[in-house]
Amino acid sequence: MRTTTIILAGATAVSILATAASAQQNMTGTITKIDRLNGTISIQQTQSGTVGAGSGAVQEFKVTDTNKLEPFHAGDKVNFSAAEGSGAKTITDLKKQ
């Protein structure tokens, strides 16, 4: 019984750490749409993998400071980090490639 409790506690700890690590990871993609009035940006994430891998789905992200969107335009390739909180994905870092 005690061994099972220790194993479950360890598995829970690993799960929490993995979730936190994946919550903010660096990603690459192409900007498909910018809505400066609503403070959102749509990015089609680049799939990593083998030759011939398709592009990912377009995702919409919130931006806390719309002034950060000024140098960007649709079609720009970017590196970005995003975090999910309050039910919305928010860009935490955005840079042109």
Side-chain angles (χ1 to χ4, degrees), residues 13-34:
V14 169
S15 174
I16 290 170
L17 291 174
T19 302
S22 68
Q24 252 198 17
Q25 57 184 339
N26 290 329
M27 298 172 275
T28 59
T30 304
I31 297 174
T32 59
K33 182 177 92 173
I34 298 176

Side-chain angles (χ1 to χ4, degrees), residues 35-83:
D35 185 347
R36 290 179 174 85
L37 294 177
N38 292 322
T40 60
I41 185 170
S42 297
I43 300 175
Q44 183 171 21
Q45 193 171 344
T46 304
Q47 294 290 331
S48 60
T50 61
V51 176
S55 296
V58 175
Q59 293 184 346
E60 186 171 272
F61 300 91
K62 289 254 183 217
V63 179
T64 54
D65 183 9
T66 56
N67 291 328
K68 292 181 181 180
L69 294 176
E70 287 305 316
F72 298 99
H73 303 286
D76 287 347
K77 295 195 182 299
V78 293
N79 293 328
F80 66 100
S81 297

